[in-house]
């Protein structure tokens, strides 16, 4: 099997370097959980309009929650070589902050004028492979839905989005435990 330059074997390639799906058939089923998080920075007025459900397109968080859950369930269709796994549970949590959420730059969030919606997605499965890609897919799609729902509010006079960005997408937790 080819190596990645650090001596570790690449799991998605065969001896000739052709890409192939990893065979997980011999692995035991385990209970798995992954949690991912990300944020979309918006204008403070937009975050307040989301909080007050005053966005013209409708309930932003309800729509983003549906998008996130649906994306989790369809991750295997969007990411090449990703196994289709049985999703046992999906939890979504939104945090709206008009005062600014830590953007990872080290700046004091309280002093930031970058309001944000933060989305955390937790995914649980029982199977032979993890669910972190599903959690990440849920976060990124959920945040893209937020952007789509508020783009008329965020757009500047030139049609751009200078205050809008999706950042800080990361896996916070990945656990695996034997079945009882």
């Amino acid at each position: 099997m080819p190596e990645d330059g650090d001596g570790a074997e690449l799991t998605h390639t065969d001896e000739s370097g052709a890409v192939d799906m990893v065979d997980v058939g011999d692995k035991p089923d385990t209970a798995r959980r992954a949690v991912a998080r990300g944020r979309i920075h918006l204008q403070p007025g937009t975050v307040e309009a989301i909080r007050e459900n005053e966005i013209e397109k409708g309930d932003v968080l309800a729509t983003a929650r549906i998008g996130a859950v649906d994306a989790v369930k369809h991750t295997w269709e969007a990411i090449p070589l990703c196994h289709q796994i049985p999703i046992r549970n999906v939890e979504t949590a939104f945090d709206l902050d008009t005062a600014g959420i830590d953007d990872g730059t080290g700046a004091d969030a309280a002093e930031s004028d970058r309001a944000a919606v933060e989305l955390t997605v937790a995914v649980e499965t029982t199977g032979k492979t993890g669910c972190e890609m599903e959690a990440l897919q849920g976060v990124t799609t959920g945040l893209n839905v937020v952007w789509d729902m508020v783009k008329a509010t965020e757009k500047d006079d030139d049609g751009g989005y200078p205050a809008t960005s999706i950042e800080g997408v990361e896996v916070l937790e990945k656990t695996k435990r034997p079945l009882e």
Side-chain angles (χ1 to χ4, degrees):
M1 191 163 287
E3 295 184 0
D4 68 0
D6 291 331
E9 288 186 358
L10 299 175
T11 59
H12 284 80
T13 56
D14 66 16
E15 294 296 329
S16 68
V19 176
D20 201 6
M21 189 174 217
V22 173
D23 182 356
V24 296
D26 291 335
K27 294 173 73 174
D29 282 345
T30 54
R32 295 169 180 258
R33 175 180 166 85
V35 181
R37 173 182 65 196
R39 70 193 58 82
I40 181 168
H41 292 282
L42 303 165
Q43 299 173 59
T46 302
V47 174
E48 193 56 39
I50 292 169
R51 184 187 320 275
E52 299 300 322
N53 199 19
E54 295 174 348
I55 296 295
E56 188 175 324
K57 278 188 156 183
D59 188 332
V60 173
L61 301 183
T63 308
R65 181 172 281 112
I66 292 167
V69 171
D70 197 43
V72 166
K73 293 169 31 177
H74 291 277
T75 299
W76 65 277
E77 295 173 310
I79 298 178
L81 308 178
C82 189
H83 291 87
Q84 182 178 11
I85 63 172
I87 303 298
R88 205 175 74 226
N89 188 39
V90 179
E91 297 171 1
T92 59
F94 292 94
D95 180 20
L96 282 66
D97 191 344
T98 54
I101 291 177
D102 180 9
D103 61 7
T105 64
D108 184 1
E111 296 173 8
S112 171
D113 62 355
R114 298 190 71 197
V117 174
E118 187 171 84
L119 171 58
T120 303
V121 175
V123 178
E124 295 176 356
T125 186
T126 300
K128 300 175 184 307
T129 189
C131 52
E132 65 273 19
M133 297 312 298
E134 286 74 9
L136 288 165
Q137 188 78 350
V139 167
T140 57
T141 299
L143 294 175
N144 281 334
V145 171
V146 171
W147 192 318
D148 180 61
M149 296 286 290
V150 303
K151 63 186 176 190
T153 306
E154 285 291 295
K155 200 178 296 184
D156 69 9
D157 293 338
D158 297 323
Y161 303 96
T164 313
S165 63
I166 294 174
E167 301 174 2
V169 176
E170 61 184 329
V171 174
L172 299 175
E173 171 189 331
K174 179 182 173 184
T175 59
K176 173 173 76 170
R177 64 177 174 73
L179 296 177
E180 299 171 2

